[in-house]
Every structure is written in structure tokens, then in C-alpha cells.
């Protein structure tokens, strides 16, 4: 690992890293299945030749970014905030304003700084195994890779030389399997560090004491508790600003049909910590699994707060608390949907709203669209994570294009766009 003052990216090295990263996945047939899988693609009525839609970790030139395709409600505006960070996903912001960004395939952590109105992207860390999980507390950056948990104290004063960090791997004792094990991490209102451990398969019997969970720890790795069980693959969660309850996205299984089971948005109600959310026996709003069967498969399972669409790949969720957006967006969840890979007619590639209701459910509405051409069945970007800025604007990271978009709101623009009222 080495801190770099500037981003130095060569097309050949990027392509080489990408090929090496996905080689194991491409050797599997059908793609995405592990030795533990009980999937039956032949029974799913899906095309057995479906392959992941290629998302090579490249940098799209700024003038080629799909900014003109983005569609937002009246008054909202999208502009390029940063680019030049291929494969960038998760985002956290330090006290001094530095934005740290994790990746999956490239093994890098980026740092984005701003000076005199100009933004600089540097590769802070590299050579890690899928360091998607980032969290920040008291000026320390926590980096969670598949097989490492590192803490970098006073990181914003060490951007040119972050060092090796404090190794907390043994303290957290996370499983080393790669399948669905890239991390998402965040500190909750209780000051504890929440981390998910995904299922080590597409669909299989899992060890419920190890996989398919959301856990929480003390910042030093002690005091582990299981907050949610039966969670196939969540790499995004946040706390409702009013109730302080945890809400999380969950990606549904593949090879059970083109239409689902749909992905989920779930809620951990107060007093419900440790509850079961269904995997691997029960999916969506009570669909028993066709391959992993047991009597009364959905008995005792907490049903989703909302369904988020078939194979939509909802990742980051953010409850908005800023003052820039209209009040109708206060305390509303924003979900970045990376978009389907295992679906003939593509779906997702957008940002949606999750408006919570008093009964603990949520209603899903469109917010940022335009990256999917449904007629041509083509997509132009993959929204993956969200970050609320100090001024109330919101960043959306686009993994496919190595860029982030800043979403802002202007009331005057909205008023001008509103249709004239009839007298």
C-alpha cells in the first residue's frame, strides 16, 4: 500500500487488474455460483447463457459522462463533482472535508480533496482485497476489506503517507470467504460499528452464526452482537433520523426467474434486534425458495418494508437530513440501485426514494432516472452510493464511469418549471 500525491492510471494496468479480478468468476458456469450453491438454473426459465453486464473499472472522460441523460424532479440539478476514480463505490467524509471512496474490484481506496475550487483525486491505499467498507469516527478512517480491518488515525493529516494503519483484523474476526463478503460499514447512533457478512453463495444452507448477518461491534472490535439474521447480501444501510431504527437494502437471489424474487428494503424495529429476514428459505413478501426447502419456510420471518424491484441491486441508502432539498424530502430514504446483471430485460440503474409510513413500511418512488434506455435495453452508468454534503447537496457515485454527481436544488428553478395555475 502506498499513498500517491496524484492519480496515476494506465489503461493497460487497469485492464490487467480487471481481468485478474474477475477471472475466478468467469470460470464458473453459470456465472456467480459457488461450490455450495443449490441453484437450479434449468428450472428458473432464465437464459442459461446470461452473463454479468460488463462494468470494467475505467475512467470515462468528463465530456463523455452521461450527465445529459440524467432526469430529476423540477428544481434539482446534476453536475459532475469528481472523476478519475475508476470503480469508486462507497463514500464517507472526514471532519476536514476529505471524501474517502472504497472500491471492490480494483482493491483501492481513494481520497478526494478540494483546494481553491479544484478537486484532486489520489489513490490513498491499494493492493487490498475488495476494500468496499469504509467508516469514519473521531478523525480515524476504518477500512474493511474481505480479510482485513484497518484503522488509520488522524487520516486527513496523513493523506500523502497514510502508513500501514492499526490492524484490527483479529479483533473483528470476520470470515474470509469472498462470495458476497465485500463489506459495508457505518457507525450507528449508539456509537457502535455495524458491519454485514453476506451469504457465501447464491442460494445454499448457511451457518447462521457466521454468514447472512448484520453485526455490530465496539470500535475496537469487541462486544460483537448480531443485529439481523437471514440477510443474503446487504451492502447498504442507514438509520432513520427520527426513530433511529436501522434500515437496510438486501439483494435477492439469482437463478429463480427473470422477475424475481424482488430485492428488499428492510427495517430493524426497536426490540427486534437479531430477528430473521428469511434467507435462504424465504424471499420478498413471503416466497418460499424453490431450491432450499423446509416446512413453513416463511414462519417467523420479518417481511420487507418495501420491495425494490427484480434484480435491481439496491446498494447505498441515505436518509436525507439536509436543508437544501424541499421539506418533502426531509427524512426520506434515497436508494442507489446499481442495476441488474441476471435479467434479460435490464432494470434499475437509478436512484429511488423510499418514503416511510407510520406502519413501518415504505413507498418506492423514482428520483434520478435516465441511465437506462429500456427500448434499447442499454445502460449508461451504475449509481452505487450516496453521500450528503455539509451544504445539503448529495453526491451519487457512478461505479461504471469512475465519477460522482452532485445533486443540488434551487427553488427559483423549480418555480419557473412549474406549470402556470389556471385563474
Amino acid at each position: 500500500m502506498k499513498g500517491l500525491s496524484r492519480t496515476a492510471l494506465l489503461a493497460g494496468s487497469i485492464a490487467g487488474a480487471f481481468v485478474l479480478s474477475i477471472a475466478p468468476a468467469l470460470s464458473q458456469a453459470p456465472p456467480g455460483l459457488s461450490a455450495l450453491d443449490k441453484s437450479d438454473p434449468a428450472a428458473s426459465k432464465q437464459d442459461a447463457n446470461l452473463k454479468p453486464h460488463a462494468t470494467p473499472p475505467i475512467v470515462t472522460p468528463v465530456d463523455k459522462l452521461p450527465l445529459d441523460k440524467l432526469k430529476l424532479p423540477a428544481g434539482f440539478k446534476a453536475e459532475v463533482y469528481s472523476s478519475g476514480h475508476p470503480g469508486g463505490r462507497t463514500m464517507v467524509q472526514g471532519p476536514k472535508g476529505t471524501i474517502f471512496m472504497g472500491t471492490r474490484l480494483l482493491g483501492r481506496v481513494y481520497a478526494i480533496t478540494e483546494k481553491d475550487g479544484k478537486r484532486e483525486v489520489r489513490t490513498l491505499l491499494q493492493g487490498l482485497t475488495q476494500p468496499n467498507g469504509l467508516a469514519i469516527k473521531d478523525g480515524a478512517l476504518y477500512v474493511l476489506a474481505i480479510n482485513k480491518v484497518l484503522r488509520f488515525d488522524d487520516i486527513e493529516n496523513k493523506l500523502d503517507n497514510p502508513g500501514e494503519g492499526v490492524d484490527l483484523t483479529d479483533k473483528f474476526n470476520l470470515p474470509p470467504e469472498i462470495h458476497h463478503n465485500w463489506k459495508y460499514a457505518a457507525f450507528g447512533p449508539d456509537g457502535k460499528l455495524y458491519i454485514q457478512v453476506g451469504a457465501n453463495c447464491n442460494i445454499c444452507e448457511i451457518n447462521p452464526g457466521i454468514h447472512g448477518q448484520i453485526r455490530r461491534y465496539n470500535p475496537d472490535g469487541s462486544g460483537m452482537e448480531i443485529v439481523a439474521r437471514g440477510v443474503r447480501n446487504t451492502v447498504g444501510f442507514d438509520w432513520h433520523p427520527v426513530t433511529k431504527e436501522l434500515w437496510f437494502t438486501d439483494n435477492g437471489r439469482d437463478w429463480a426467474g427473470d422477475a424475481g424474487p424482488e430485492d428488499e428494503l428492510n427495517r430493524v424495529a426497536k426490540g427486534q434486534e437479531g430477528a430473521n429476514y428469511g434467507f435462504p428459505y424465504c424471499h420478498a413478501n413471503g416466497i418460499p425458495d424453490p431450491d432450499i426447502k423446509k416446512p413453513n419456510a416463511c414462519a417467523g420471518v420479518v417481511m420487507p418494508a418495501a420491495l425494490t424491484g427484480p434484480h435491481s441491486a439496491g446498494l447505498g441508502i441515505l436518509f436525507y437530513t439536509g436543508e437544501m432539498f424541499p421539506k418533502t424530502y426531509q427524512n426520506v430514504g434515497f436508494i442507489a440501485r446499481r442495476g441488474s446483471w441476471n435479467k434479460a430485460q435490464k432494470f434499475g440503474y437509478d436512484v429511488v426514494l423510499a418514503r416511510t409510513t407510520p406502519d413501518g413500511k415504505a413507498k418506492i418512488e423514482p428520483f434520478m432516472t435516465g441511465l437506462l434506455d429500456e427500448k434499447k435495453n442499454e445502460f449508461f452508468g451504475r449509481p452505487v452510493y450516496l453521500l450528503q454534503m455539509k451544504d445539503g447537496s448529495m453526491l451519487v457515485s457512478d461505479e461504471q464511469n469512475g465519477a460522482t454527481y452532485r445533486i443540488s436544488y434551487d427553488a427559483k428553478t423549480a418555480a419557473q418549471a412549474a406549470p402556470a395555475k389556471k385563474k
Side-chain angles (χ1 to χ4, degrees):
M1 296 181 291
K2 183 179 180 182
L4 301 179
S5 60
R6 300 184 64 184
T7 305
L9 302 173
L10 297 175
S13 64
I14 292 174
F18 177 63
V19 171
L20 289 174
S21 298
I22 65 171
L26 294 181
S27 67
Q28 299 168 354
L33 303 187
S34 71
L36 299 173
D37 269 298
K38 301 298 181 183
S39 311
D40 187 359
S44 72
K45 298 182 180 180
Q46 287 180 279
D47 182 356
N49 293 316
L50 281 173
K51 297 291 190 297
H53 309 314
T55 308
I58 60 175
V59 175
T60 299
V62 173
D63 61 346
K64 300 295 184 182
L65 289 171
L67 200 63
D68 61 329
K69 299 183 183 299
L70 298 180
K71 299 177 182 179
L72 293 158
F76 286 92
K77 175 186 177 182
E79 56 191 326
V80 177
Y81 180 84
S82 65
S83 63
H85 36 74
R89 282 189 161 209
T90 46
M91 297 177 289
V92 296
Q93 189 170 28
K96 296 183 178 181
T98 307
I99 295 173
F100 299 97
M101 178 176 285
T103 66
R104 185 179 160 208
L105 291 177
L106 282 181
R108 294 175 179 170
V109 175
Y110 300 110
I112 305 172
T113 54
E114 183 171 350
K115 184 178 181 180
D116 299 328
K118 296 182 179 180
R119 296 183 189 100
E120 179 184 20
V121 179
R122 71 186 80 198
T123 300
L124 184 73
L125 306 170
Q126 56 187 350
L128 296 168
T129 304
Q130 301 190 19
N132 190 74
L134 300 181
I136 197 104
K137 185 177 177 61
D138 300 329
L141 177 68
Y142 289 70
V143 177
L144 290 92
I146 297 286
N147 57 348
K148 286 281 185 182
V149 180
L150 303 171
R151 189 189 75 224
F152 294 87
D153 297 327
D154 193 25
I155 185 62
E156 289 183 282
N157 289 322
K158 301 176 181 177
L159 296 179
D160 289 328
N161 185 18
E164 297 298 318
V166 178
D167 194 331
L168 300 173
T169 306
D170 291 342
K171 300 289 186 182
F172 283 88
N173 192 30
L174 296 168
E177 291 87 358
I178 290 180
H179 204 123
H180 292 149
N181 208 14
W182 55 94
K183 295 288 175 282
Y184 184 75
F187 281 96
D190 54 6
K192 292 182 179 289
L193 183 58
Y194 287 67
I195 306 169
Q196 107 296 351
V197 178
N200 52 334
C201 59
N202 170 43
I203 189 73
C204 66
E205 296 274 356
I206 61 172
N207 182 335
I210 298 178
H211 292 100
Q213 310 168 349
I214 299 176
R215 305 176 179 183
R216 66 183 171 200
Y217 297 79
N218 295 322
D220 63 0
S222 64
M224 191 276 280
E225 299 173 280
I226 298 176
V227 177
R229 305 174 190 268
V231 180
R232 179 180 178 272
N233 183 28
T234 177
V235 275
F237 46 78
D238 197 10
W239 289 263
H240 192 282
V242 177
T243 67
K244 309 303 180 185
E245 293 173 330
L246 179 69
W247 290 68
F248 63 92
T249 57
D250 195 8
N251 290 192
R253 65 156 295 183
D254 297 320
W255 300 110
D258 212 43
E262 290 195 38
D263 292 351
E264 303 172 6
L265 173 63
N266 288 290
R267 161 180 165 260
V268 181
K270 290 181 180 178
Q272 209 170 51
E273 290 83 358
N276 176 22
Y277 290 82
F279 185 84
Y281 308 105
C282 178
H283 311 284
N285 277 336
I287 300 174
D289 191 85
D291 300 318
I292 306 290
K293 300 178 181 180
K294 77 170 187 177
N296 302 313
C298 295
V301 170
V302 178
M303 292 294 115
L307 299 180
T308 57
H311 309 291
S312 63
L315 299 189
I317 175 172
L318 167 72
F319 281 102
Y320 183 78
T321 59
E323 296 182 357
M324 177 185 286
F325 295 2
K327 290 184 178 180
T328 53
Y329 292 90
Q330 281 279 334
N331 303 329
V332 172
F334 289 73
I335 301 174
R337 300 195 299 188
R338 183 175 183 266
S340 57
W341 77 266
N342 191 30
K343 195 176 188 306
Q345 185 63 39
K346 298 176 178 66
F347 183 81
Y349 314 92
D350 57 10
V351 176
V352 296
L353 303 177
R355 295 190 181 276
T356 61
T357 55
D359 60 356
K361 301 297 183 180
K363 296 179 180 178
I364 305 300
E365 302 174 5
F367 177 71
M368 189 185 86
T369 60
L371 291 175
L372 173 64
D373 186 327
E374 294 182 3
K375 292 183 179 179
K376 294 182 179 180
N377 203 25
E378 296 177 354
F379 63 93
F380 309 101
R382 284 187 179 274
V384 282
Y385 282 94
L386 309 155
L387 178 67
Q388 182 178 304
M389 302 294 281
K390 294 177 181 178
D391 65 356
S393 62
M394 183 174 70
L395 297 188
V396 180
S397 58
D398 180 346
E399 179 189 27
Q400 173 171 325
N401 291 298
T404 62
Y405 311 118
R406 178 180 180 265
I407 310 299
S408 59
Y409 177 81
D410 181 70
K412 292 182 180 179
T413 304
Q416 293 171 357
K421 294 182 179 180
K422 294 182 180 180
K423 294 183 179 180

